[in-house]
Amino acid sequence: MLISDVVRNAVLSAVVVAAASFGFAGGAMAFDDQVFDDSGAVKPKSSPWAVFQFGFSAYKNGHKDQAVEAYRYAAENGQIGATWKLARMYAEGDGVDRNDYEAFKFFSEIVDQDVEPGSPEESYVSDALVALGSYLKKGIPDSPVRANKIAAQEYFMRAAANYRNPDAQYEMGKMFLKGEGGVKASVRQAGRWLQLAAEKGHAGAQATLGNLLFQSGKVVRGLAMMTAALERATPDDQIWIRNMQEEAFALAGEADRRTAIALAEDILTKGSTQ
């Protein structure tokens, strides 16, 4: 789980605690009549914050249809967390049919809001910027959203520079490596962004930076970073990181391998890539 995900989940978990203090801790079905009218719509003039609380509790209790309706009402009435939850649900097909274009529109609503870095809601904006950049990098089939790497780079840069988002920093590192998105190819700039993401524990950034170091002759450090990244990576990322690491491992000498393995353990223990 990424650091940004941990922060957002902590914020949303606080909603449950707050809900309990309002007497909402008995599960979603115990208080749905306080939120919905007989037609299944949210009651007019309901508190957006209270409805958002209900939506989160309903989601946690498996009532995702009620959660969607509650989030939609809360989002329409200014709750940015509810907008983010809707975006994620549509992006992942979680409780609704997956619809990337619908998710794109919700993420766009989030980034259009005036949220300053350091505010409690910055993690929503940061994540939304990365999501939009990812959509624009490839486009969304059967939608008006076409691939636009320059626009994608602008979203990634905003999240990387303003909100220090490790996913965005990783994407910027890759763009500088390839010279994509309107930026000039620069290994130095790529390394800068990859290092920032790697310091936050981003496995992809650690592996990519490690490979750069290995190719530049820093065999032990590079191999150690790739080895540590492999341990931290998600199952999907483990596939390409393992291929990269095994190729480098085969080229390294026995003494370098042993030293790199020990250094990788140190990286995993201390969390430092320096």
Side-chain angles (χ1 to χ4, degrees), residues 132-224:
L132 291 174
S134 298
Y135 280 133
L136 286 165
K137 191 175 179 181
K138 297 181 179 179
I140 300 175
D142 302 318
S143 83
V145 180
R146 300 287 181 260
N148 186 334
K149 291 187 178 181
I150 292 178
Q153 182 269 131
E154 291 173 352
Y155 281 116
F156 288 142
M157 179 61 82
R158 182 175 163 190
N162 293 351
Y163 299 103
R164 303 173 300 282
N165 184 293
D167 290 328
Q169 291 170 340
Y170 173 53
E171 292 294 339
M172 287 306 306
K174 291 193 296 182
M175 284 188 153
F176 272 109
L177 274 181
K178 299 176 182 178
E180 292 181 334
V183 302
K184 184 178 179 180
S186 169
V187 174
R188 182 177 180 179
Q189 285 293 327
R192 172 176 172 267
W193 287 113
L194 291 171
Q195 179 67 39
L196 289 171
E199 289 172 354
K200 298 180 180 70
H202 194 290
Q206 289 180 347
T208 306
L209 182 58
N211 187 54
L212 285 177
L213 292 171
F214 184 88
Q215 297 296 333
S216 70
K218 298 179 180 179
V219 174
V220 172
R221 171 63 62 177
L223 187 55

Side-chain angles (χ1 to χ4, degrees), residues 20 44 48 54 83 100 136 185 206 225 233 236:
F54 167 84
T83 308
D100 288 321
L136 286 165
Q206 289 180 347
M225 289 185 65
D236 287 342

Side-chain angles (χ1 to χ4, degrees), residues 73-269:
Y73 175 89
E76 290 171 353
N77 288 276
Q79 288 294 323
I80 191 172
T83 308
W84 179 80
K85 280 296 296 181
L86 282 172
R88 277 285 154 216
M89 291 177 79
Y90 276 105
E92 298 164 10
D94 181 15
V96 294
D97 291 336
R98 177 171 175 172
N99 189 323
D100 288 321
Y101 183 51
E102 195 70 17
F104 181 91
K105 290 189 289 186
F106 281 122
F107 283 128
S108 296
E109 290 180 17
I110 293 171
V111 302
D112 286 342
Q113 298 190 44
D114 187 19
V115 175
E116 292 295 328
S119 74
E121 296 174 325
E122 77 163 24
S123 63
Y124 299 126
V125 178
S126 175
D127 183 76
L129 287 165
V130 174
L132 291 174
S134 298
Y135 280 133
L136 286 165
K137 191 175 179 181
K138 297 181 179 179
I140 300 175
D142 302 318
S143 83
V145 180
R146 300 287 181 260
N148 186 334
K149 291 187 178 181
I150 292 178
Q153 182 269 131
E154 291 173 352
Y155 281 116
F156 288 142
M157 179 61 82
R158 182 175 163 190
N162 293 351
Y163 299 103
R164 303 173 300 282
N165 184 293
D167 290 328
Q169 291 170 340
Y170 173 53
E171 292 294 339
M172 287 306 306
K174 291 193 296 182
M175 284 188 153
F176 272 109
L177 274 181
K178 299 176 182 178
E180 292 181 334
V183 302
K184 184 178 179 180
S186 169
V187 174
R188 182 177 180 179
Q189 285 293 327
R192 172 176 172 267
W193 287 113
L194 291 171
Q195 179 67 39
L196 289 171
E199 289 172 354
K200 298 180 180 70
H202 194 290
Q206 289 180 347
T208 306
L209 182 58
N211 187 54
L212 285 177
L213 292 171
F214 184 88
Q215 297 296 333
S216 70
K218 298 179 180 179
V219 174
V220 172
R221 171 63 62 177
L223 187 55
M225 289 185 65
M226 285 185 275
T227 303
L230 183 60
E231 290 295 318
R232 290 171 165 164
T234 63
D236 287 342
D237 284 337
Q238 283 178 349
I239 297 172
W240 67 268
I241 293 176
R242 179 176 288 108
N243 291 337
M244 180 185 291
Q245 189 263 0
E246 288 179 349
E247 182 178 343
F249 205 76
L251 294 172
E254 181 63 26
D256 286 342
R257 294 177 188 174
R258 292 180 181 276
T259 306
I261 290 173
L263 183 56
E265 292 176 354
D266 192 52
I267 290 173
L268 289 168
T269 300

